[in-house]
Amino acid sequence: MSSSSLLLDIQLLYNQFTKTEKKIADYVAENANAVLFMSITDLADACDVADASVHRFCRTVGVKGYQEFKMKLSLSLTAGETTERPGEERPEGTDSLSCMLDGILETHINALRETRTLLSVEAVERTVDMMEKAKRIYFFGIGDSLLTAQEARNKFLRIMNKVSCIGDPHMQAMSASMASSDDLIFIISYSGSTKDNVYVADIARQAGAKIVGITRFLKSPLTNYTDVLLTCGANEGPLEGGSMSVKMSQLYIIDILFQEYYRRNLAISRENNKKTSKAVVEKLY
């Protein structure tokens, strides 16, 4: 369809949909704002259909995939609807700079608090256990999540020499294919639905490597391959790529892992931290 509104396209195509597609269309029409913050698996579960059915629905309404579907859905809604997240009311006087400053602060704080609520002690302990046993630790990410992966590498490099971060998706796939049961791979992906991430996870799983996912959703294509799932608490709409709240919540998880690893391996971590700090101190005036 050539309409500028995805919701209008869905209405115009409705009588051509299959029974399953109508279930998806009805849910999207009634819960458009919520869908913006759902993974493809979340939407499939809400409609009681398979992930593949959602993929076919996206193709039927003229988009290439689920992420493009959410982007066009966001554009179909009014500006007020797209900026307001589920369960979030906009305070009065949001046009003032002071309110904007307070609003951004509250959004970031809420993201960190929600991340803490979602993180289980057991998941953190299992992750650090695997980090201690691993011979090599990789941090993988695509796009903005790569920045988090790089920061994780930079942080852990201060206390251990077995960490690396690979940015190129082809190099990630090659490294994953050469991994073993002694290796641990962190895959950082907000949606858990990025094709490159899922492809690398599949290769790593076949190679026998352990996989930790840092993502927003409990169910996504990526979570099918993870040994441990660490969930961040920030919502990000399809037009909000690179959300600072998402990065903060991801980095909060990285910092938790770092502090727990450091605590468990205090003597060697302190010694290595001194060595790495001394290595760069002479570069400062």
Side-chain angles (χ1 to χ4, degrees), residues 36-276:
L36 295 179
F37 303 98
M38 297 172 72
S39 70
I40 186 171
T41 307
D42 287 336
L43 179 57
D45 287 348
C47 300
D48 195 24
V49 301
D51 289 9
S53 297
V54 178
H55 273 297
R56 286 192 293 270
F57 176 76
C58 292
R59 293 298 183 95
T60 301
V61 297
V63 296
K64 295 178 181 178
Y66 185 63
Q67 295 307 311
E68 184 181 349
F69 173 82
K70 290 204 298 183
M71 183 175 294
K72 289 201 171 184
L73 177 61
S74 180
L75 292 170
S76 297
L77 301 173
T78 65
E81 289 174 319
T82 54
T83 55
E84 185 175 336
R85 292 170 176 160
E88 189 176 273
E89 295 183 1
R90 300 178 70 187
E92 295 181 2
T94 50
D95 55 334
S96 73
L97 177 59
S98 177
C99 286
M100 182 190 72
L101 298 179
D102 292 339
I104 292 174
L105 175 63
E106 191 65 25
T107 297
H108 294 337
I109 291 174
N110 287 339
L112 293 174
R113 284 176 176 160
E114 186 176 342
T115 302
R116 171 61 189 94
T117 300
L118 293 171
L119 276 180
S120 71
V121 172
E122 180 186 4
V124 172
E125 288 179 337
R126 285 185 61 198
T127 301
V128 177
D129 285 344
M130 289 190 292
M131 294 182 73
E132 289 180 318
K133 296 174 183 177
K135 289 185 177 179
R136 292 179 296 183
I137 300 174
Y138 298 95
F139 291 96
F140 292 164
I142 300 295
D144 287 295
S145 293
L146 176 59
L147 300 178
T148 303
Q150 291 171 334
E151 181 59 31
R153 182 271 317 276
N154 295 348
K155 194 167 186 65
F156 279 100
L157 193 60
R158 297 174 182 273
I159 61 172
M160 64 172 74
N161 64 357
K162 60 182 180 180
V163 295
S164 62
C165 173
I166 301 174
D168 183 83
H170 290 185
M171 297 299 105
Q172 290 179 6
M174 291 168 63
S175 296
S177 71
M178 297 292 288
S180 71
S181 58
D182 293 324
D183 297 327
L184 175 62
I185 297 178
F186 282 84
I187 299 181
I188 304 170
S189 170
Y190 172 81
S191 68
S193 300
T194 304
K195 291 181 180 179
D196 284 327
N197 290 142
V198 177
Y199 179 72
V200 167
D202 186 19
I203 293 176
R205 170 61 65 224
Q206 293 181 46
K210 302 294 190 301
I211 302 173
V212 174
I214 298 180
T215 183
R216 176 67 177 103
F217 303 102
L218 293 175
K219 292 184 178 181
S220 69
L222 176 62
T223 60
N224 294 326
Y225 300 94
T226 57
D227 295 285
V228 178
L229 186 66
L230 302 174
T231 313
C232 62
N235 280 323
E236 179 179 88
L239 300 180
E240 296 180 288
S243 165
M244 290 302 297
S245 292
V246 170
K247 285 190 178 66
M248 288 180 183
S249 61
Q250 291 173 343
L251 290 173
Y252 171 57
I253 292 173
I254 296 300
D255 198 26
I256 288 173
L257 297 176
F258 177 85
Q259 296 296 341
E260 177 59 11
Y261 187 96
Y262 199 109
R263 184 188 68 81
R264 289 193 191 184
N265 303 272
L266 188 59
I268 187 64
S269 293
R270 278 181 173 172
E271 181 63 25
N272 288 340
N273 202 3
K274 288 179 181 178
K275 290 179 180 179
T276 54

Side-chain angles (χ1 to χ4, degrees), residues 12 31 140 176:
L12 295 174
N31 305 275
F140 292 164

